[in-house]
Amino acid sequence: MRIDIITVLPEMLESPLNYSIVKRAQEKRLAEIHVHNMRDFSDDKHRRVDDYSFSKGAGMVMAIQPIEKAIETLKKERDYDEIIFTTPDGKLFDQKEANTLSLKKNIIILCGHYKGVDQRVRDLLITREISIGDYVLTGGELAAAVITDSVVRLLPGVLSDETSALTDSFQDHLLSPPVYTRPAEYKGLKVPEILLSGNDKLIDDWKHQKSIERTKKLRPDLYKKFLGKS
Ligand code: 6GU
């Protein structure tokens, strides 16, 4: 899979996409992630990418020209399945959306900034608008990193069996069960006996039960979805 990210702050994406699993996915050639500086596509002599809003006192707006040129330049090289815009008024991102995107071949993520983009960019060029939660970020870069991370880890071959994405929280609308490592007892707190039993079937049942209990208690909203699916 190939992900092209268009941003005014390319440096902001370097570090989050070059560690751990996302880094390894790129080294293994399972994911190709390219970050583009939007200013490189500006026709303005000062490389400006924003302009004053037509609404008074509304702050700066990202202009059409550099965005269209960036997207058209990429589109000349290959077809894109989705052109995503990160924005707090987009559709709330969740595991289902991550799963859907992980099946695509080429996607573009355009990072929102300032007071947003000229509405015509959204009308003409964007195929999906995504928010990562009901709070305000300074820009769409952190959201693009979140989306990219959650999608790349789902690509076949990226995770080992041990860390398989299928056992992740949310994949089945359940939170993960508690986990323990040595020592078997710490300050009087013991690792549940069953985990020391070596009985895989009993352990799996116990983990499933704990997942259900945890989800019911911590995320009643998710628990309702779980009941609906089972
Ligand atoms: Cl995608 N962008 C911004 N600026 N803020 C957000 C967001 C995105 N998702 C949640 N808050």
Side-chain angles (χ1 to χ4, degrees), residues 85-88 112-113 130-140 143-144 147:
F85 177 54
T86 56
T87 174
H113 248 276
I130 295 178
S131 160
I132 60 162
D134 288 338
Y135 41 80
V136 177
L137 298 170
T138 304
I147 294 165

Side-chain angles (χ1 to χ4, degrees), residues 8-20:
V8 290
L9 294 171
E11 301 85 356
M12 226 178 136
L13 283 154
E14 258 155 42
S15 152
L17 300 179
N18 283 303
Y19 284 96
S20 183

